[in-house]
Every structure is written in structure tokens, then in C-alpha cells.
Amino acid sequence: MKRRHFLLAAGATGIASPARSQLPSGPRIAYLSGRSAATDAHLLEAFREGFKSAGFVDGQNVTMDIRWANGRYGDVAKMAAEVAATKPDLIVAVGGNPVAVAAKQATSTIPVVFGAGADPVKIGLVDNLNRPGGNLTGMTLWANELDAKRLDLLHDMLPKARTVAVLMNPDNPGYEDLLPRTRETAAALGLEIKLLTAAGSSAIERAFESLPAGSVDALAVGADAFLINSRARIVALTNERHLPAIFPAREFAIDGGLASYGTRWTDMYRILGSYAGRILKGAKPAELPVQRPTTYELVLNLKTARTLGLDLPPLILTRADEVIE
Amino acid sequence: MKRGLFLKYVVLFVGLVAAVLVINSALGLWFVYQENRRASIEVQHEKAENAAQRIESFVREIERQIGWVAQAQWANLPVEQRRFDYVRLQRQVPAITELVQIDREGREQLKVSRLTMDMVGSGTDLSKEPAFVEAMAKRTWFGPVYFRKESEPYMTMAVAHGGRGGVTVAEINLKFIWDVVSQIKVGRDGYAYVVGPQGRLVAHPDISLVLRGTDMKRLPQVAAAFASPGAGDSEIDAKNLAGVSVLSAHAEIPALKWLVFVEVPTIEAQQPVINAGLRGLSLLVLGLLIAALAGALLARRMVVPIRALQAGAERIGSGELGHRLSIKTGDELESLANQFNRSAAALEESYATLEQRVEDRTRELQESLEQQTATAGILRVISQSPTDVEPVLQAVADAAAGLCRADEAAVFLFKDGAYRWAASAHIASTYVDVVKGETFTPGNDSLVGRTALHGTVVQIEDAPNDPDYGRRDLAQLGGAHTLIGVPLQREGETIGVMVLTRRHVERFTDKHIEILKIFADQAVIAIQNVRLFTELRESLEQQTATAEILQVISSSPTDVAPVMEAVARAAVRFCGAEDAHVFLRDGDDIVSSAHEGPLSAHPLGHRDPLDIRLSRAQSIVEARVTHIVDTESLDAQEYSLTRTYAVKHGFRAQLNAPMLQEGRAIGCICLRRRDPGAFTPRQIELLETFAAQAVIAIQNVQLFTEIQEKSRQLEVASQHKSQFLANMSHELRTPLNAIIGYTEMMADGLYGDVSEKAQGVLERVQSNGRHLLGLINDVLDLSKIEAGQLVLAMEEYSVTDMVATVLSATESLARTKGLKLGSDVPAGLPTGTGDARRLTQVLLNLVGNAIKFTDQGSVEVRAAEADGRFELSVVDTGFGIAPEDQAKIFEEFQQVDNTSTRKKGGTGLGLSISRRIVELHGGRITVESEVGKGSTFKVTVPVNASPIKEAAQ
């Protein structure tokens, strides 16, 4: 969008500056996101900020080819292959583990900066976190690790709740690993789990429909790109059913979800931007460690709490890093 | 010196100033550098201390915050309250990821985590954990840095609650120190970092280095700091991880045993030094510029008068000796200029005299050169003109007149008893015409005569006014005053005189006389050369002519005509005649035999009577040379025929040389000329030689013809003899056969009984008849051979058989004489080819002879084969043959003439015939013999003979 604006501006002012008319001579990167422009605009902005801190501005000294899979994870392999075929200087693969995996499959030579939710070693993206060894490096949000913590927090919020629905994407590469740990945590907290699975957008509706009214006391949504991409829909469905819920990203809470616990993604994307810049300047992805988040935030939406008629315990309120009134 | 001196002054000046400035700047720079380095390190160190304090305070703040809950009584609070406090603590300190409360027994009572589920009263035994043990002992304990998931740096901090309150353990994510470290600004590109006790990086602005767990001990400054803690900041050459040289300082956080390093790139730290250096450099450049300007000014002041000196010296040097220098500097340069002026004056003076001398010398050299050139020119003319003296004399006259500045020159040569004009130069033609006719004889009268008389150089200073000078007429004619005569002398004899004249009175100098003598000598050499050359050529030509004639003689032994032609040709060429005519005497006639030349002559074969009115006839008759210088002056009566022919054939002079054979003339050679004139003695002599050669040739031909005639006659006679013999033999044999036949028939009683007495007679008749027949057969054979009619009938034969045949035929004869007859023929002799009957005849003849001439002893036939030839020997023990007779016995009709042989009879033709037969086979027959001991006749013939075609004569 910006680029188009810029081109229009350049057209309007004529060939004012010959330096500006030589745009394509700089490096060219591809930004492939599994989500959509609608959900991720702020993350792209964060990436640009990080990229700029490393000295790169799209449309000035670098060209960005931005592509959105719009949550169609079945398409990302093809899109990654297309992107690799254009031989960019770098590929940014964000918005879900499948995108990172597809980028890894698409090229073994073009540097890839990924943002993944799962453990990158486990899903085969890198050999080692501090020395990735291949052409990939990036961030792991470690969002899944927090699934258990989210159940813990949900329990703190609703000490009386006994049955909790857990919404997960079975297509998530971490799914098999995640499920037993969720069950373990639930057992430790004395909770009963009702598992909901959704892999496509229509499946979300179906998952909620399969849940009889009043059968569960609360909902925990797992960290998953697809689910995050459908956050508006999920928040709407959750609130429709008056279900207290905890979500994996602050965006849910902002959009009306009761609570969220997780890292601040914009921070992550800023780091990805700076990593992309460092690689363009000559750093080797094999030597750049995969970074983990350092801050985790609990965001509470008291408006929703009031809508739900909930009275949140003081401990949770103390714990909350941000409260939306 | 053009610009050199100026440049040298400037360079020297600038060099001096530059050296001072450079040393000054370098020293200043060195001190600035040292100071700056010291100051930089101090600043760095301060910054390091500062950073260390900030990091320590960061940690101490966490400790303080934890201490807020770590009260002795806090452990007794209800768990909700404690959890609340821990949550709040985490909110206060984002670096704390996890908080654990351990009771005094070491059991976990509470755990609050950002990542995992909170735990209440799990009771896990942690009493052995160092965090618990150490904190209980020292109240606060800082654990070592460790890395979660092998990448994230963490540190455990444990704070005892005091009393019986247990311990609070906090896990601190050291990534948060990154914020602190990143904010420490050191200069423009400087940075700070923290190294843990094991040398592992704890914090660094580049977080990825920390996450990678970089071991910093490989940096020299870190290694040095660990090696001697607290030793302050080393001066070692530090480098950062990227290999960039840095200025490094560090400070310790004693509680944590961490080292905080502050580093700034050396280039940045030394920026002041570089600036100072640049300042120094610009000052240096400025100084150099000023020095160059000042140097140029100074040098100009020095160089201008020197240049003036140089320019002046150059003008004087280029010949302007009158030039004077004007330099008023009042110092050494002025006195140098004055010195130059004095030298120039001296030079100018000596130059004038020198010029005159050079001029004289040049003139002398010029004359000498001219003289040499003239001499060389004359020599060249001599070498180019070996046969003609004229050009040489001309050249001598020209050169002499030119070199000696004479108006005229002339050369006179001695010829026919007087000195006559030969060549001259510059002399007017009228004078030459006069002189040409004049002859001079030695005497005091003329200059030529005087010179010739004395044989020395004679000079007459003023001829017209010299009373002693006889030929004043000539001098006046030529307008000559001073005269000089130079003799041309050969072996003391004056062969000519060279005369030079001047139309004014001026004596010829000694030098001129010398030159003239040289020229005179050269003229003599040239005359000599020409004479020698002419003589040599003539001699050579005569020899060539003689040789040619001899060659013609030898190649024409039977014909006299070519010789006569050659003689005529040679006579024309070498005897100075236009025409030559050869005549031969034939009885009382003389016959024209050869002619060469353009004059009309008698045709070849023309006969004239031997009439002495004809000079050539006279020459023949009187056998002497007749020489007619001019036919017109001959007596008309006496030489009427000669004069007639002279008119007819168009000649005036004639020379006749007789061809003398044993004092008698057989012909003559006649030379003729159109113009009258005498032939030289030499020519006459040569003609006589030719005449003698002609005689030799004629004699040769005569001899040759005689020999040829004789041999032809002999041949005819021989043929007649052979024919006669052959006919005779045949004619004799026929009646003889009849005699023998009838006698035999009578003896056999065919015509009635014959008395015993008559029988004896008949036998004698028969015996003598047979002997006669044998003789006739031999003669017939020989005559056939000689007539070339004997033809060999070639066939194959066996030597063994042949020998056997001969032995059986002669056996009875040997037995009769009581001789032993034997043979020695080896087996396996090859079959021969030849006329077997004739060869048998030869062998039979030899064996017969042997038996005949042997009275006692033996006769043996031996045969052998070697080298493709048979060797047949007949060995006897007879009388033998004396060596002087051995050659004769093979000739016809020859027998060793002694009593014994005559008794034996025989025709004497046998061996002769044998020899011919063997020779016709290509073999030979020889004898070895010693008187009284016997003879061995040996026949050698080829095994495969081919008849020799040559018929015996």
C-alpha cells in the first residue's frame, strides 16, 4: 500500500530525483504471512520499525514483496515455492508454524527469518536455538508453552469453574505434544477438559455448535495461527455464548475477549525486522540465535467481565499488566 | 647550471625548514598520542566503573525488591497474601521469571511463575540446593549465570528471610540487563558488555552473542583481566570479536564476580591524535610553502649575478672576445667577473697571432694535399694506361704546370737520336706547332739540350735576357721568361726532358724542383712500364702463335694445307703484315699453298716458274730472306716480276722467308704491306721461326705418308704370300696324294708282284711321300691361319679322353725309342668347350716333339684345372732349349738350329701352328727349359673358350 502511494507520489512529482527512480537496484525481500492484512497490519508495522532500526526502509533502499495467505494454510506451501522462485534476497515467513515449515521446504539457500509459535527444534526448523545452522533463524513465540499457564490463569480468574473447553487446531505441528500437557495441567488444577478442534473457518462455527449451552464453565483458546487469524470470529462466538475465556494474544482482549496471556507480538516482529536487516547486511542466519520472548502480559477486558457479570479476584487484577476498562 | 643552482638553493632551504617542522610535528604528535591514550584509558575506566555500578545497582535493586518480601514474619502470612506479594514483586521486576519460597526446612512452599503453573505447598525438598544453603548461610546469594534452553542467560538470586523465615529464590532473566548495557554509551561507536565468572558473555548490546553463549576469554583483554583481577587496565592491544582494534577498560562487580568491559574502537579513541596529526600536517605544508617562497627569493638573489657571469662567459666562449662582464655586487662574484675579463683580454691578444699561423699551416697543408692528389692522379693514370705513355706524359705536364704555378709545361722524349716533343700543357698551339717540328740534341744551345747534356735540373731565370741562352727565339715565341728543365733519367741515361716556363721572372723554388723531380721519375716509370708491357705482350703472342702452329702440326699429320694456313695466319698477326702468302717448291715451279689477308693473291695451286726476278723465287733459290722496303724503289729490270705483281696485288713492302730443309729451300712465306716500310728485325726473326715450323710440318707429312705406303705394300705382300702358300699346298697335295696312293697300291701288289728290292724302294717313296704330305698340311694350316681362314669348330671335349687319344697315338713311337710315356690327369676334370680336334693336334705335336727330341728318359703329359682354365703340360727329359732360342721356337719356319735338330727333321711349323691354335682359343703356350735337362711345354686354355675373332696377319 505504502509502496503504491510512493509510486503515485513519484509519478506526481515527475522524475524529480534520479536516485529514487532506481528503486529496484536495492535488495528485495519477500514477506509471507499466513494471516491477513486485516489482522496483522500492526505486526507488519512493527516489522517495518525493526527493519528501519537496522537501516532499511521499504520503497527507499529495499523492496518488500508482501503476500498474505489469509489463513489458507493449505496454500502456503505453494506460495512459499512461488516466493522462492522469484529469488528474493530474504524471505520473512510469519503468521504460523506452517509458513515457516513451507519456507524451509521451499529453499535451502535464501535466508529465511521466521516467526513460529512452536519449538523450532521440535518442528525441524533449526538444529539448535543458539546456533540454527541452516538458512533459517527468527523468533519462537513459545506460545504453546503458555497453554498450561493460561489454564492456570483461567482457574485463578474463575476459581469455581470445573469444566473448561479447550479450542485447538489439530493441524498445528505442536498439537500432538500439546494435548497431553493440557490434560496434565487440567488434572493438576482439578478441571475437566472439553476439547474443541477446528482446522478451517467453518469448523470454528461447528466447534462452537457442538458445545451445548451451559455445558462448560469457561473456554481456553490455544495459541495457533489459524485460530488467531479467526480471532474476531472466535471472540464474537465466545461472547455470544457468555463464555468466560482466556486467549493467547492481547489482540483478542482488545477485540472484546475477556483475557489474554502471552507475549507482546509487536516486540517480536520488531526483533524479526532487525534480524532481517542484519542478514541483509551480511550476517549469517546460521549464526543468529533463534530468540525467545522475554515479556509475557496478562491483559484483562473489564468491560467484557462486566458484561459477563464476573467479579475478578484481586490476585488476577494485581497480576494484570493491562486492564481494558 | 641552467636552473640547477637555483633549484639546489631552494631545495636546500625548503629541506632545512621541512626537517625542523617535521621533527617538531612528530615530537608533538608523539606526546599528544601518549597523553590522549592515557586520558582515553582513564575515561574508559571511569565509564567501566560507572557501567559496573549501574549493573550492580540493577541487581541490587532486584535484591532490594526481594528483600521487601523477605521478612522473617512473611513466611507466616497466609498463602494468598504471599502469592499476592510474589505476583506484585514480579510486576515490579519484569526480569524475575519465577519466584520460589522455601521454608526453613528447605521445602518448597510456593512457586509463582510467568511460564508455568503456580504451585502452592508442593513441599519439594530443596534443602540441598546451593541457593537454599548459601542464602541461609550468607542471607543473600547470587548464583552463577546459567543458560535456559542453552541460550537464555539466567541467574538465580536467593535471599534469606532472616530468623526462621526460610528463603525466597528468584530466577532472573539476564536479558533484561541488555537494556542497561545497551544504554551505556561510550563515545560514538563504543559499547559495554558483561562477562561472567567463567568468561561467558552475560550481556552485550548484540543480544545474539549472549544467546549464542560466546566465550569471551578468547579476547586478549578479557583473558588478561581474568589472569590478574584488579590489576587495573592493561595497555595490551585489544581487539573485539569482529577483529577491530579497540581501546578496552574494565571494572569488576565484586558481589557477582562479573567484569564489565567498556570498549571503544582505537580509531575513535585516537581521533584527537589524528586531528592533531592533521593539524601538524597542514602546518607543515604551510611551513613548506613559506620556506619555498623564501628559498626562491633568496636563491634568486644569489643566482642572478651567477647567471650574468654564466651568460658573459658563454659569450666570451663563443668567440666574442671583446665582451666584458659588468657585475657590481661588491663581493667574490665581482672579483670573479673581473678575473673573467682579464682572461678574455689575454685570450683576445693571443688569438690574433694564432690565426696567422693557422692560415700559413693550412696553406702548406693545402699545397701538400694538392701535390699528393696530383701524384696519386698520375699514378692512377699510369695504372690505367699500361700500354700507352701519352696520357701519362699529359698528366705529368698538367700536374707540373698546375702545382709549380708555371704558365706552360712540355715533355720531350729521346727518339731517333734527338729529343722530340711528346706532350705539353697550357702551351699555345702555335708554339706547340713550332716545337713539334724541332729536334734538340744535347748541348748548351737550348734548355732541353743543356738539361740533357748535364743530366741535372737547369734553371734559366730570364731567358730572353740571358746572353748564354741560344734559343731566345723560342722563348720569345712563347713569351717565356723563367725556364726550368728537368731530366727524365733511366739508369743514368737521359731519355727525356720536362720543361716549365713562366711568363714573368720568378725562380722556381726548391720545393717546386723537388716536385718536378718526382714527376720526372713517375714519367720514367710509366715509360718503362709501357716498354716492358709491350715486350711481354709481344713475346707472349709469339709463343702463343708458335704453340698454335705446333698444335695444328700435331693434329694434322697427313695434310700440310692446314699447317700452311695456320702459318699464314700467325705471320699476319705477329709480323706486322697485312697479308701473308705461302708458296711451296715443286720441281722448277713454285706453287701457291696458302693465303691470309685482304690483298689479292694467286689462287691456291697457282704455279709460277722458279724465276729469280720474282723476289720470293729469289728467296727460295738463294735460300735467304729477301726484304723489300718499297717495291717502287726496286730495280725495274732485276725485279720486274715482283713489281708487276706489286702493282697487280696492291702492295709496296714485302718480306720473304725461305723454308729451309737441309740447307735447301722447299718453299717460302711471303709477307706483304700496302704501304712501303721496313720490317723490324724481330718480325723477320719471327717469320723465320714460322718458316722453320712449316718445314717441320712438311717433313712430318712426308714421313707419315712414306710409312703409310710402306706398310700397305707389306700387307699386300703378306697376303700374296699366304694365298700363294695356300694355293701351292693344295696344288702340291693333289699330285702327292696320287703318288702315295699308287705307291701303296703297287706295294700291295695290285699291279703285279714287286721284287723285294722294289718293295724297299716303294716303302721309301711311301714314307717320304707321307712326310711331304705332313709338311704340306702344316703349311696349309699355317697359311689358312695367316689368311684368317681357320675357323674353330667348337664342341665339348674331355681332357682325359684327349690325353688318352694322344698317348695311344704316340705310344708305339715312344716304345720304339725306349722312352717311358706316362700321364698324370686327375679325376673329375670338367668338360671343356673348344675345337677338340685342333687341341688334340696341339697336344699331339707337343708330345711328338718331346719324343722326337728325347733320347732317353721319359715323356709325361700332365693336366690340371684352375681358375676356369685347363693347364696341359708336356714334360720331357730331352736336350732342352737354350734361353736365347726359347722365344724363337714359336715363330714360323724356326727351329733351334743345331746338329741334333737337323737330324730330327720336321717343318718347323708345328709349334707355330700350335701357338696360333691356342691363341685362337684365348690361351697361351709357354716353355720352360734348361739345356741338357729337358723341357716343359705348358698350354693354358679357358675351360669354356670362345673363339677369338681376330685373324692372324
Side-chain angles (χ1 to χ4, degrees):
Chain A
M1 288 289 268
K2 274 203 157 184
R3 189 172 169 206
R4 200 178 307 148
H5 284 155
F6 164 73
L7 289 174
L8 284 173
T13 55
I15 311 302
S17 161
R20 288 199 167 188
S21 66
Q22 289 170 356
L23 272 181
S25 64
R28 191 167 53 80
I29 72 167
Y31 183 95
L32 178 59
S33 173
R35 291 190 289 268
S36 62
T39 58
D40 272 28
H42 65 296
L43 298 181
L44 176 57
E45 206 47 50
F47 176 86
R48 288 191 200 274
E49 279 171 28
F51 206 24
K52 191 178 178 183
S53 74
F56 291 94
V57 177
D58 180 22
Q60 280 184 16
N61 57 353
V62 70
T63 311
M64 278 178 73
D65 176 10
I66 298 160
R67 299 185 188 211
W68 304 99
N70 294 316
R72 290 189 300 278
Y73 287 96
D75 292 351
V76 294
K78 206 179 102 207
M79 289 177 78
E82 281 170 13
V83 162
T86 65
K87 301 218 175 300
D89 295 296
L90 181 131
I91 298 173
V92 181
V94 292
N97 295 334
V99 183
V101 172
K104 171 150 176 105
Q105 279 161 1
T107 178
S108 60
T109 52
I110 303 169
V112 175
V113 173
F114 63 82
D119 181 342
V121 179
K122 263 186 189 154
I123 62 170
L125 293 179
V126 295
D127 302 338
N128 187 299
L129 286 183
N130 51 7
R131 286 182 190 277
N135 59 321
L136 284 83
T137 188
M139 299 285 310
T140 171
L141 305 182
W142 226 266
N144 299 133
E145 197 186 37
L146 298 179
D147 279 359
K149 187 68 192 171
R150 269 190 285 274
L151 271 184
D152 186 25
L153 290 170
L154 192 61
H155 179 68
D156 280 347
M157 276 193 284
L158 306 162
K160 291 179 184 127
R162 282 296 163 260
T163 310
V164 177
V166 176
L167 179 60
M168 296 177 86
N169 179 2
D171 291 351
N172 192 308
Y175 176 73
E176 297 296 331
D177 178 44
L178 201 60
L179 194 57
R181 284 207 288 146
T182 307
R183 289 190 192 283
E184 227 173 86
T185 311
L189 293 169
L191 292 174
E192 198 179 315
I193 292 292
K194 176 77 180 165
L195 183 68
L196 301 179
T197 55
S201 48
S202 58
I204 292 172
E205 312 277 339
R206 270 202 311 274
F208 276 88
E209 277 163 18
S210 72
L211 202 64
S215 62
V216 293
D217 302 319
L219 171 70
V221 176
D224 176 80
F226 160 66
L227 296 178
I228 292 166
N229 196 44
S230 311
R231 69 170 188 264
R233 187 92 203 98
I234 293 169
V235 168
L237 284 168
T238 309
N239 289 348
E240 241 173 59
R241 288 164 187 261
H242 291 277
L243 266 178
I246 188 158
F247 298 94
R250 60 188 272 117
E251 285 81 355
F252 285 88
I254 292 164
D255 285 0
L258 175 62
S260 74
Y261 186 70
T263 188
R264 196 191 276 260
W265 289 1
T266 47
D267 289 353
M268 303 291 105
Y269 275 70
R270 233 169 257 127
I271 293 172
L272 288 182
S274 76
Y275 256 31
R278 284 176 72 173
I279 290 167
L280 287 186
K281 282 174 180 169
K284 291 191 169 48
E287 290 173 5
L288 288 177
V290 177
Q291 290 204 35
R292 300 176 61 192
T294 47
T295 51
Y296 301 95
E297 294 174 324
L298 178 65
V299 181
L300 294 177
N301 191 326
L302 291 186
K303 217 162 62 180
T304 307
R306 271 197 297 279
T307 311
L308 292 172
L310 282 177
D311 200 6
L312 294 172
L315 181 67
I316 281 296
L317 290 172
T318 310
R319 205 159 198 167
D321 294 277
E322 194 178 339
V323 174
I324 298 165
E325 295 283 351
Chain B
M1 147 113 190
K2 300 269 171 196
R3 291 169 53 89
L5 204 56
F6 180 74
L7 265 183
K8 272 182 203 163
Y9 275 125
V10 174
V11 167
L12 190 71
F13 195 82
V14 173
L16 272 170
V17 173
V20 170
L21 283 176
V22 165
I23 290 165
N24 193 28
S25 305
L27 281 174
L29 211 59
W30 170 248
F31 288 120
V32 167
Y33 172 75
Q34 291 294 338
E35 238 163 72
N36 181 67
R37 195 180 162 85
R38 211 158 35 240
S40 294
I41 288 172
E42 266 167 34
V43 169
Q44 293 275 89
H45 191 73
E46 264 170 39
K47 288 198 172 173
E49 293 282 0
N50 187 270
Q53 264 173 24
R54 283 173 71 175
I55 289 163
E56 191 174 3
S57 68
F58 170 81
V59 177
R60 291 288 176 195
E61 173 63 21
I62 297 169
E63 187 193 347
R64 201 175 60 78
Q65 291 283 354
I66 295 171
W68 186 70
V69 294
Q71 312 285 327
Q73 299 308 311
W74 183 80
N76 299 329
L77 292 174
V79 69
E80 287 309 311
Q81 184 60 48
R82 278 182 278 142
R83 217 180 143 197
F84 187 84
D85 284 344
Y86 270 8
V87 166
R88 213 178 47 183
L89 185 55
Q90 276 191 334
R91 282 222 43 208
Q92 297 273 339
V93 187
I96 298 174
T97 300
E98 202 171 272
L99 284 165
V100 175
Q101 186 208 346
I102 306 171
D103 67 14
R104 60 184 179 188
E105 270 79 41
R107 294 189 188 278
E108 182 187 301
Q109 291 300 317
L110 178 64
K111 183 170 90 174
V112 174
S113 170
R114 289 179 192 271
L115 298 173
T116 56
M117 218 170 64
D118 294 352
M119 297 292 278
V120 177
S122 74
T124 312
D125 184 5
L126 300 170
S127 60
K128 297 287 181 294
E129 289 293 311
F132 176 74
V133 177
E134 296 285 330
M136 287 300 277
K138 301 176 187 166
R139 182 172 163 80
T140 302
W141 176 73
F142 297 102
V145 176
Y146 70 97
F147 287 80
R148 267 202 183 181
K149 299 259 179 191
E150 293 176 356
S151 68
E152 299 208 285
Y154 269 84
M155 186 182 73
T156 306
M157 188 191 287
V159 180
H161 292 207
R164 296 176 164 208
V167 173
T168 288
V169 178
E171 300 300 329
I172 297 169
N173 188 345
L174 293 179
K175 272 172 92 178
F176 282 87
I177 300 181
W178 179 75
D179 287 333
V180 181
V181 167
S182 301
Q183 280 162 17
I184 298 169
K185 284 290 163 207
V186 185
R188 196 180 67 239
D189 293 329
Y191 51 88
Y193 58 89
V194 183
V195 180
Q198 279 82 40
R200 200 160 170 181
L201 195 62
V202 172
H204 193 282
D206 182 357
I207 191 89
S208 70
L209 289 173
V210 180
L211 298 184
R212 247 188 282 163
T214 312
D215 180 9
M216 298 305 278
K217 270 196 200 155
R218 63 172 199 240
L219 295 182
Q221 65 269 35
V222 177
F226 273 103
S228 53
D233 296 299
S234 55
E235 296 272 327
I236 59 163
D237 221 2
K239 286 217 164 62
N240 66 7
L241 288 169
V244 177
S245 175
V246 292
L247 210 61
S248 175
H250 70 273
E252 200 184 5
I253 306 173
L256 298 169
K257 297 197 175 62
W258 290 359
L259 291 175
V260 179
F261 285 84
V262 169
E263 290 176 354
V264 76
T266 312
I267 191 116
E268 189 187 324
Q270 289 176 355
Q271 198 57 45
V273 182
I274 293 166
N275 289 342
L278 285 175
R279 267 198 311 277
L281 203 66
S282 42
L283 271 176
L284 183 66
V285 170
L286 192 68
L288 286 181
L289 273 174
I290 292 166
L293 278 171
L297 271 171
L298 264 169
R300 182 171 295 279
R301 291 201 63 160
M302 289 291 284
V303 167
V304 163
I306 294 177
R307 286 238 176 107
L309 258 178
Q310 181 196 18
E314 238 166 46
R315 285 180 71 177
I316 293 169
S318 64
E320 266 186 72
L321 295 177
H323 183 72
R324 293 292 176 270
L325 302 173
S326 163
I327 290 172
K328 300 291 172 217
T329 52
D331 55 13
E332 287 91 336
L333 288 174
E334 188 179 331
S335 55
L336 184 63
N338 292 337
Q339 196 65 45
F340 264 116
N341 288 340
R342 279 194 292 280
S343 300
L347 209 61
E348 195 177 19
E349 212 174 278
S350 63
Y351 196 74
T353 53
L354 191 69
E355 228 166 27
Q356 183 58 43
R357 265 151 63 188
V358 168
E359 215 167 84
D360 291 350
R361 195 92 188 119
T362 308
R363 197 172 53 245
E364 280 169 26
L365 280 172
Q366 182 75 25
E367 281 173 5
S368 170
L369 186 68
E370 276 172 12
Q371 184 189 334
Q372 285 189 8
T373 309
T375 314
I378 291 162
L379 287 174
R380 192 170 58 244
V381 174
I382 290 173
S383 70
Q384 282 170 354
S385 172
T387 56
D388 194 358
V389 77
E390 199 82 7
V392 181
L393 296 180
Q394 186 63 50
V396 166
D398 284 345
L403 275 181
C404 299
R405 287 183 290 112
D407 293 313
E408 298 133 344
V411 181
F412 298 85
L413 289 184
F414 188 76
K415 194 178 174 188
D416 299 337
Y419 293 89
R420 296 164 199 274
W421 178 90
S424 57
H426 309 319
I427 293 180
S429 60
T430 50
Y431 181 65
V432 171
D433 289 342
V434 174
V435 171
K436 261 187 180 172
E438 286 282 342
T439 58
F440 303 94
T441 48
N444 273 321
D445 188 33
S446 64
L447 176 65
V448 176
R450 271 195 219 180
T451 310
L453 182 67
H454 301 294
T456 54
V457 175
V458 174
Q459 182 155 207
I460 296 164
E461 199 163 355
D462 189 359
N465 303 320
D466 189 340
D468 297 335
Y469 188 53
R471 298 304 299 267
R472 277 199 290 274
D473 56 333
L474 286 175
Q476 275 159 357
L477 186 62
H481 282 266
T482 303
L483 307 178
I484 189 166
V486 183
L488 311 186
Q489 289 192 311
R490 188 180 68 201
E491 292 163 9
E493 185 191 344
T494 305
I495 60 164
V497 174
M498 178 161 64
V499 172
L500 275 78
T501 68
R502 280 178 178 158
R503 293 200 179 122
H504 59 281
V505 178
E506 185 195 339
R507 285 189 69 87
F508 288 90
T509 62
D510 290 347
K511 204 191 283 173
H512 287 154
I513 293 167
E514 284 304 309
I515 294 168
L516 291 173
K517 278 181 179 170
I518 291 167
F519 286 164
D521 288 346
Q522 284 179 341
V524 170
I525 289 167
I527 293 161
Q528 291 250 66
N529 273 356
V530 170
R531 192 172 58 84
L532 286 171
F533 190 85
T534 310
E535 280 175 9
L536 188 70
R537 191 182 56 192
E538 280 175 359
S539 154
L540 191 69
E541 279 176 350
Q542 285 165 17
Q543 286 190 13
T544 309
T546 315
E548 271 174 16
I549 292 164
L550 288 174
Q551 198 186 352
V552 174
I553 291 170
S554 70
S555 65
S556 174
T558 55
D559 192 359
V560 79
V563 183
M564 294 305 122
E565 281 161 17
V567 166
R569 273 200 306 276
V572 170
R573 258 175 69 197
F574 299 111
C575 299
E578 285 158 291
D579 187 89
H581 209 157
V582 182
F583 297 92
L584 290 180
R585 179 176 180 168
D586 185 15
D588 287 338
D589 286 343
I590 52 174
V591 184
S592 167
S593 299
H595 173 250
E596 175 74 25
L599 298 183
S600 50
H602 300 297
L604 295 187
H606 172 86
R607 285 173 177 274
D608 278 314
L610 198 60
D611 187 335
I612 58 161
R613 284 176 302 171
L614 207 53
S615 65
R616 54 181 190 268
Q618 186 190 17
S619 176
I620 291 170
V621 171
E622 295 173 9
R624 64 175 182 89
V625 172
T626 54
H627 186 189
I628 299 161
V629 176
D630 188 357
T631 49
E632 297 294 314
S633 59
L634 286 177
D635 184 86
Q637 289 298 313
E638 202 179 340
Y639 292 99
S640 57
L641 277 173
T642 298
R643 289 194 60 155
T644 308
Y645 280 132
V647 174
K648 189 177 170 190
H649 291 158
F651 62 88
R652 288 284 294 275
Q654 193 179 26
L655 178 70
N656 303 305
M659 300 178 194
L660 296 174
Q661 186 179 17
E662 292 163 5
R664 184 171 159 272
I666 58 166
C668 77
I669 307 172
C670 172
L671 293 181
R672 303 183 298 182
R673 281 183 185 154
R674 285 194 184 92
D675 297 319
F679 288 88
T680 65
R682 203 179 156 71
Q683 288 165 344
I684 296 166
E685 192 188 332
L686 197 60
L687 190 64
E688 285 175 321
T689 311
F690 291 149
Q693 283 176 337
V695 170
I696 292 167
I698 290 163
Q699 278 177 335
N700 274 357
V701 171
Q702 281 171 351
L703 283 173
F704 196 83
T705 312
E706 273 171 34
I707 289 164
Q708 239 179 0
E709 183 62 21
K710 285 260 168 62
S711 60
R712 199 179 56 77
Q713 287 169 1
L714 280 170
E715 197 183 342
V716 170
S718 172
Q719 274 176 0
H720 285 166
K721 180 199 77 182
S722 296
Q723 192 61 45
F724 168 74
L725 283 173
N727 292 345
M728 279 304 291
S729 307
H730 191 70
E731 293 302 318
L732 287 170
R733 213 162 53 160
T734 311
L736 194 56
N737 274 331
I739 291 166
I740 292 166
Y742 284 117
T743 313
E744 216 166 278
M745 284 191 287
M746 281 172 78
D748 288 350
L750 285 177
Y751 300 105
D753 290 336
V754 184
S755 67
E756 208 161 298
K757 207 171 177 179
Q759 189 74 25
V761 172
L762 281 176
E763 276 177 16
R764 278 203 183 171
V765 170
Q766 211 173 345
S767 164
N768 282 306
R770 284 187 195 283
H771 179 67
L772 190 59
L773 188 63
L775 272 173
I776 289 165
N777 276 341
D778 280 357
V779 170
L780 191 62
D781 276 352
L782 191 66
S783 62
K784 266 188 184 168
I785 288 167
E786 293 202 333
Q789 289 167 357
L790 186 81
V791 179
L792 296 180
M794 306 303 274
E795 60 185 329
E796 291 195 342
Y797 65 90
S798 159
V799 173
T800 316
D801 290 354
M802 189 186 285
V803 172
T805 307
V806 170
L807 289 186
S808 68
T810 51
E811 195 181 11
S812 59
L813 203 59
R815 201 166 49 239
T816 316
K817 286 190 79 174
L819 296 173
K820 190 182 163 207
L821 183 64
S823 69
D824 178 10
V825 181
L829 285 175
T831 306
T833 307
D835 191 334
R837 200 174 63 81
R838 291 288 180 187
L839 286 174
T840 308
Q841 184 189 341
V842 170
L843 201 55
L844 201 57
N845 176 254
L846 292 177
V847 174
N849 280 351
I851 294 169
K852 201 190 286 175
F853 294 105
T854 306
D855 288 343
Q856 55 186 12
S858 66
V859 171
E860 194 181 27
V861 180
R862 295 173 189 162
E865 187 263 332
D867 300 332
R869 297 177 90 87
F870 288 126
E871 194 179 273
L872 304 166
S873 310
V874 179
V875 186
D876 66 49
T877 57
F879 316 126
I881 307 157
E884 64 270 23
D885 297 327
Q886 283 176 11
K888 281 195 244 165
I889 55 172
F890 295 108
E891 299 296 319
E892 294 91 352
F893 308 106
Q894 291 281 344
Q895 231 176 15
V896 177
D897 189 19
N898 57 35
T899 45
S900 67
T901 56
R902 212 167 290 139
K903 275 195 287 185
K904 305 299 171 183
T907 57
L909 289 176
L911 277 175
S912 175
I913 293 166
S914 293
R915 178 174 69 91
R916 299 297 179 90
I917 289 168
V918 170
E919 282 174 358
L920 282 174
H921 276 87
R924 41 197 299 259
I925 184 166
T926 54
V927 64
E928 286 170 21
S929 181
E930 203 176 320
V931 175
K933 288 202 171 164
S935 308
T936 299
F937 282 84
K938 200 177 279 179
V939 172
T940 316
V941 285
V943 172
N944 290 305
S946 49
I948 301 298
K949 276 287 162 211
E950 163 213 19
Q953 290 270 323

